[in-house]
Amino acid sequence: MSIRNLEAAFAPKSLALVGASEREGSVGTVILRNILDGGYDGAFYPVNPKYEELAGRRCYPSVRELPEPPDLCVIVTPPHTVPDLVGDIGSRGGKSAVVITAGIGDEEDLRERMLAAARPHLLRIIGPNTIGMLAPRLSLNASFTHVAARPGSLALVSQSGAIVSSIIDWAVAEDVGFSQVLSLGDMADVDVGDCLNMLAADPKTSAVLMYLEAIPHGRKFMSAARSAARVKPVILVKPGKHEATARAAQTHTGALAGADAVVDAALRRAGIIRVDDLEDLFSAAEITARFRPLQRGRVAIVTNGGGAGVLAVDHILDRHCTMAQLADETIAALDRVLPPTWSRANPIDIIGDAPPERYRAAVLAAAEDPGVDAILVMNCPTALASPKAAAEAVASLATHGLVNRKPVLATWLGAFAAREARDILNAAGIASLDTPTRAADAIRLLTQWAQLQAKLQRVPESHGKLRVDPDAARQIMERAGAEGRSMLTEPEAKGVLAAYGVAVPGARTVDSVAGVAAAAADILSSSRQVAVKLLSRSITHKSDIGGVVLGLGSPEAAQAAAQQIHDRVAATGQEAAIDGFSVQEMVRRPRAQDLIIGVSSDPVFGPVLMFGSGGVAVEVVRDTTMELLPVDDVLAADMIDRTRVGALLAGYRDRPPADRAAIVAALKAVSQLLIDFPAITAIDINPLLADTDGVVALDARIEIDSSRLAVPGPNPAMAILPYPSGWERLLEVGGQAFRIRPIRPVDAELYPQFLKRITPEDMRRRFLIPTRNLSADLIVRLTQLDYDRDIAFIALAEPEGELAGIVRYSADPDHVRAEFGILVRSDLQGIGLGSGLMRCLIDYARQNQVAVLEGQVLRDNSAMLSLCRELGFTITSDPEQPTVMLVRLPLTA
């Protein structure tokens, strides 16, 4: 639904240029020439009341007087004219507009008036402040770029018009073509999420390249990006890595959660390949076009120069790929074809005088080794052998760049000698890279792509196997909220964590120095030492003012420490901030590692989980990583592995490994807290001690927004919703039992057998056109959903677990309307399974506040129309399609 009317902008059959001109140097003149010179063969209408004719074409005084409603209008008039023009275009029946005019965003009134004028007509606006748009496959250049883009299969989406112009200039020189080029400008309406939704479904787009300076609408972006990245590479350059945007926060997490770290976490979860610069953008596009993702990165190097091979090894290992360990059989095979002086190891040094036959034999042997995932072939120019002949030998082995189904990359060093060889290699589909550095980057890209694809398969559940007590946590937060506090005290924060299974030390709280001795005596009866800490609703970093005393072995020492804390705080003039003291069991774990787990709230992507090295120097060490919520076991384990402290937790020297499962459980517990309680805005657990005995939270802070305590979970601020595990139910109809549950990515495996049991007639009725099979890409998109705008429920026949039926809807971003579809196995129709699935979908739509559920049903599908009447849908004829009926069910008042 977010792409409504965008097809008119992406592939317009008619076009109007409002502000067309012949005044030399004006934007209207440049765009007019570009449109005419490009050869666009759709209907084209210049619009400007100052002219009767432009470039031999009739020029219309206004949009209202055009002979037909234009699919796309390009606007290049002054800012103050744009809102009224947009209203005229909508009234005339136009579907989309590209507003090139700058300055509209500077005046909020103009921007809002423009959007208000477009809204009643569902007119989509690209811009304002864009360089225009190009649809090279239609020979359309509706922009003021200095050169037209060539047609091809790459889509380019950029916020910056200057970047668009620069990339097109480069691409023309390199003979690179595009399916679509979009300059989004200020993104007042159409944003990057809308574009990704369109391009994901475009069969003529093989990869999407993006340049973004900001990402609006976190959940919408994540939904669209995850959908697109599942079916084609999405590659992004985003500047601003070092921008200091973290706000001064009351928690360490807030101070460490820089904007770019959050963006990085979001892009990982979205499956987007992030690169550093524009040159990398096209290199990544080329590599992903040639090869599939590499699940492992074990590389074999074949080289005629030992030094070059060693250099390549360094680059490969620096990028966290590995050198393949050659099998004994491979060594033996190479012994038979290489001179005795060969390296007998990887890199496979075939010696500087290597003729073409030696290259062939070495590459074949490496390709047949089961421990090799990719092959890098290198050539150093010498007077003893021809680089061209070596390239021809390697190229003769490759089929679409693969040898034995393994990707082959090549680095022919040198300039003059290697030029012809590189052309030969590229023609065979082999990726020819200029340097070992570039080759290592390419291999890392393929392994990174596989890791990103694996993350797209993760659908973390709510709660899962966690033991939680939400009521206990809620009571603590409600008490704090009733007092008007946003920061929980340390004992309160630990109480909330304990309710979600995070271990905390035993503790007692007292309201004065006098009560400390008795509390300490109670704890010392089972513990050797205690710690005394300041209890304050307003002082959060207690150690900064001497508010913590450790290692106290007697009640008297504990009370004396409390008095000292009182005196230090009073000396700073904050005596009124003392609410009491917390006496805690002193935890002694000399072999434990200090960790931190935290949560901060990002304005775009919502709550973000942090993990890393903890302790008082956490902001200096800065060994942390971020992850969007929710997380599961695999995502939590990935967080541990991304940090330097993760290696220490695995054990070293005489220190045994920490309890990894306990750390993972703590990360999942914090994730679940944020899912269940939208009121939580920040969490700090620092330090979290971790060793072989598990984890314990020595200190904790939790910040809340008391105005949101009544908001139920799952947390609506999350950019990714958890798998809705609470929606599983058992349905018994027709004497059979069916388990209904939300769809998972792994359910793609059930589709082939399911489709075999659907008649051609039922397929026609479901998809409104004759069809027999669904493509693999489409099945991926049907089974990997965001559970927000898109949901699908499947019915599994018990006990076999065979797929029996599917129902789904796809909603617009505002959840105003959702379009549904249903397909029940042909041999199971008529028993009530479809009714059960539809009722489940309607219940889910109501809970997610979808206003209207609607769909299209073929007029001859009497069974489906009868079911719709039974469920309360209204049924009307589609005025544009006489064979189709429109069904509609309002769900909210």
Side-chain angles (χ1 to χ4, degrees):
M1 304 289 283
S2 74
I3 61 176
R4 184 184 295 277
N5 284 342
L6 270 188
E7 68 282 353
F10 276 57
K13 295 182 176 64
S14 56
L15 170 71
L17 175 59
V18 184
S21 175
E22 63 179 8
R23 181 167 55 86
E24 198 61 36
S26 71
V27 175
T29 299
V30 174
I31 296 177
L32 175 65
R33 288 175 182 168
N34 281 346
I35 292 171
L36 296 176
D37 292 347
Y40 173 67
D41 62 2
F44 172 52
Y45 307 109
V47 177
N48 192 327
K50 296 179 181 178
Y51 303 98
E52 293 185 0
E53 183 180 285
L54 279 172
R57 291 174 178 259
R58 178 182 174 186
C59 187
Y60 294 84
S62 71
V63 172
R64 294 187 300 272
E65 296 180 53
L66 293 177
E68 64 173 324
D71 279 352
L72 175 66
C73 282
V74 180
I75 300 175
V76 291
T77 59
H80 70 274
T81 67
V82 171
D84 289 341
L85 279 172
V86 165
D88 289 345
I89 294 167
S91 299
R92 184 66 184 87
K95 297 183 175 67
S96 61
V98 175
V99 181
I100 290 176
T101 306
I104 293 175
D106 299 334
E107 299 183 39
E108 198 63 30
D109 178 61
L110 280 180
R111 177 188 172 100
E112 290 308 312
R113 284 174 50 208
M114 176 185 72
L115 294 175
R119 199 171 292 122
H121 311 289
L122 296 177
L123 177 74
R124 305 308 306 274
I125 295 175
I126 299 173
N129 190 24
T130 83
I131 199 172
M133 71 165 297
L134 300 92
R137 290 182 175 274
L138 300 178
S139 301
L140 173 60
N141 179 8
S143 77
F144 57 92
T145 57
H146 64 291
V147 63
R150 294 180 179 176
S153 63
L154 298 179
L156 174 63
V157 179
S158 172
Q159 280 178 267
S160 164
I163 293 295
V164 167
S165 184
S166 301
I167 287 177
I168 291 174
D169 186 274
W170 178 90
V172 168
E174 296 293 324
D175 198 25
V176 172
F178 297 91
S179 59
Q180 203 81 42
V181 179
L182 294 155
S183 167
L184 297 183
D186 296 341
M187 295 192 288
D189 172 28
V190 174
D191 63 17
V192 62
D194 299 317
C195 295
L196 284 171
N197 279 327
M198 281 293 293
L199 296 170
D202 180 12
K204 295 178 180 178
T205 295
S206 63
V208 181
L209 313 183
M210 296 194 296
Y211 174 89
L212 298 178
E213 294 165 1
I215 298 173
H217 312 306
R219 184 179 289 181
K220 178 182 176 183
F221 171 80
M222 292 298 292
S223 173
R226 286 163 66 85
S227 175
R230 285 171 181 133
V231 294
K232 60 191 65 174
V234 180
I235 307 161
L236 169 71
V237 173
K238 186 186 181 301
K241 284 189 175 184
H242 302 290
E243 185 180 0
T245 55
R247 66 179 177 91
Q250 297 188 77
T251 62
H252 293 296
T253 306
L256 288 166
D260 195 71
V262 177
V263 168
D264 228 26
L267 298 179
R268 280 196 303 270
R269 287 294 285 277
I272 290 177
I273 301 168
R274 186 178 188 178
V275 295
D276 292 331
D277 55 42
L278 298 180
E279 185 178 359
D280 292 336
L281 196 68
F282 287 97
S283 296
E286 179 184 2
I287 294 300
T288 54
R290 290 181 188 269
F291 305 122
R292 301 304 303 158
L294 272 182
Q295 301 303 319
R296 299 181 66 180
R298 298 170 299 177
V299 184
I301 296 176
V302 176
T303 178
N304 70 338
V310 172
L311 183 62
V313 170
D314 279 344
H315 292 307
I316 288 168
L317 297 180
D318 284 345
R319 288 152 181 78
H320 307 291
C321 296
T322 58
M323 295 301 296
Q325 184 69 40
L326 298 180
D328 291 342
E329 295 81 4
T330 304
I331 299 287
L334 290 168
D335 279 337
R336 290 192 291 270
V337 296
L338 298 182
T341 53
W342 82 278
S343 59
R344 304 200 83 251
N346 185 18
I348 303 168
D349 184 355
I350 60 176
I351 313 304
D353 64 347
E357 295 76 16
R358 207 180 290 170
Y359 268 100
R360 280 180 56 90
V363 171
L364 278 174
E368 290 171 1
D369 191 314
V372 172
D373 302 308
I375 303 163
L376 171 58
V377 188
M378 303 181 68
N379 179 270
C380 302
T382 73
L384 302 174
S386 164
K388 176 184 175 183
E392 289 172 338
V394 175
S396 69
L397 299 172
T399 303
H400 303 300
L402 305 175
V403 177
N404 195 25
R405 298 184 301 280
K406 296 175 182 179
V408 179
L409 300 94
T411 297
W412 255 237
L413 298 173
F416 174 76
R419 189 177 303 137
E420 197 173 5
R422 288 175 188 150
D423 291 340
I424 293 168
L425 294 163
N426 281 322
I430 294 170
S432 177
L433 293 310
D434 294 344
T435 65
T437 305
R438 288 290 183 188
D441 287 340
I443 295 166
R444 171 59 186 145
L445 177 73
L446 293 174
T447 59
Q448 178 191 9
W449 190 15
Q451 292 162 6
L452 293 171
Q453 290 290 306
K455 276 186 170 57
L456 285 174
Q457 300 281 343
R458 307 307 308 170
V459 282
E461 298 186 27
S462 280
H463 298 102
K465 298 178 181 179
L466 290 174
R467 294 183 179 180
V468 300
D469 186 352
D471 291 337
R474 183 178 294 105
Q475 289 171 11
I476 293 171
M477 286 185 274
E478 286 177 346
R479 282 197 299 269
E483 297 176 9
R485 288 188 285 123
S486 63
M487 183 68 71
L488 304 189
T489 65
E490 181 189 344
E492 288 171 335
K494 287 180 175 177
V496 170
L497 294 174
Y500 272 67
V502 179
V504 297
R508 304 284 188 275
T509 59
V510 296
D511 57 10
S512 68
V513 172
V516 169
D522 187 19
I523 295 174
L524 286 169
S525 65
S526 58
S527 179
R528 292 178 57 191
Q529 292 181 323
V530 296
V532 176
K533 299 183 179 181
L534 170 68
L535 186 64
S536 173
R537 293 172 171 83
S538 58
I539 300 173
T540 58
H541 292 294
K542 299 178 290 293
S543 58
D544 291 350
I545 59 168
V548 178
V549 180
L550 308 175
L552 303 168
S554 70
E556 296 78 14
Q559 185 156 330
Q563 185 63 54
Q564 292 166 5
I565 292 172
H566 176 278
D567 294 344
R568 281 193 289 267
V569 175
T572 67
Q574 301 182 76
E575 185 174 5
I578 300 174
D579 296 317
F581 300 89
S582 175
V583 184
Q584 300 178 8
E585 171 191 0
M586 189 70 191
V587 177
R588 291 289 188 186
R589 292 190 177 181
R591 290 172 171 260
Q593 191 74 44
D594 283 359
L595 305 175
I596 183 171
I597 293 178
V599 172
S600 65
S601 293
D602 183 79
V604 176
F605 296 104
V608 186
L609 185 65
M610 185 185 77
F611 169 81
S613 294
V616 293
V618 60
E619 291 167 27
V620 177
V621 175
R622 301 189 74 86
D623 175 29
T624 58
T625 187
M626 315 293 288
E627 189 68 72
L628 263 60
L629 301 180
V631 301
D632 59 8
D633 297 68
V634 173
L635 293 168
D638 284 349
M639 293 185 75
I640 297 171
D641 292 338
R642 286 200 299 269
T643 59
R644 298 191 301 275
V645 76
L648 299 179
L649 294 169
Y652 59 96
R653 293 189 176 180
D654 63 340
R655 183 169 294 193
D659 186 344
R660 185 180 174 94
I663 302 170
V664 167
L667 286 164
K668 290 172 59 183
V670 173
S671 171
Q672 191 61 52
L673 257 176
L674 268 293
I675 293 171
D676 291 346
F677 294 102
I680 296 177
T681 58
I683 293 179
D684 240 20
I685 307 174
N686 181 36
L688 178 78
L689 292 188
D691 60 14
T692 55
D693 296 326
V695 300
V696 59
L698 293 194
D699 198 1
R701 298 178 184 84
I702 294 179
E703 195 174 350
I704 64 170
D705 177 355
S706 57
S707 68
R708 294 173 58 81
L709 283 169
V711 177
N715 193 331
M718 291 192 301
I720 303 173
L721 288 184
Y723 177 79
S725 52
W727 282 85
E728 188 169 321
R729 59 183 65 177
L730 193 67
L731 176 69
E732 295 188 8
V733 290
Q736 291 183 253
F738 299 92
R739 184 160 49 95
I740 297 178
R741 63 164 173 80
I743 203 165
R744 297 175 182 269
V746 295
D747 296 326
E749 300 172 359
L750 302 175
Y751 264 76
Q753 290 302 317
F754 172 69
L755 294 174
K756 286 180 181 178
R757 302 172 81 168
I758 306 292
T759 66
E761 180 63 10
D762 284 340
M763 289 288 283
R764 181 185 71 85
R765 286 173 172 167
R766 167 62 182 89
F767 295 102
L768 307 187
I769 57 172
T771 185
R772 190 68 192 94
N773 295 307
L774 305 181
S775 70
D777 283 350
L778 179 56
I779 291 175
V780 167
R781 295 184 66 201
L782 291 174
T783 53
Q784 298 186 27
L785 309 179
D786 66 359
Y787 307 115
D788 174 34
R789 286 168 45 202
D790 300 283
I791 185 65
F793 291 94
I794 60 172
L796 301 171
E798 294 284 338
E800 302 88 357
E802 293 180 337
L803 184 56
I806 307 165
V807 68
R808 68 177 64 245
Y809 74 59
S810 179
D812 62 28
D814 299 322
H815 284 206
V816 175
R817 290 193 294 273
E819 185 174 351
F820 79 92
I822 183 170
L823 184 61
V824 174
R825 218 171 68 191
S826 298
D827 59 319
L828 294 173
Q829 294 180 10
I831 64 172
L833 179 57
S835 176
L837 282 167
M838 282 295 299
R839 292 179 192 279
C840 183
L841 188 74
I842 291 168
D843 290 346
Y844 190 88
R846 280 203 174 101
Q847 177 167 307
N848 284 271
Q849 298 182 317
V850 172
V852 178
L853 200 61
E854 57 189 20
Q856 296 177 306
V857 181
L858 289 175
R859 189 181 292 272
D860 63 2
N861 192 350
S862 56
M864 187 65 215
L865 291 172
S866 175
L867 174 59
C868 288
R869 290 189 188 94
E870 176 189 327
L871 296 171
F873 284 80
T874 61
I875 303 175
T876 58
S877 297
D878 185 339
E880 297 181 2
Q881 303 178 85
T883 62
V884 173
M885 305 297 288
L886 302 178
V887 298
R888 190 173 187 273
L889 178 66
L891 299 175
T892 59

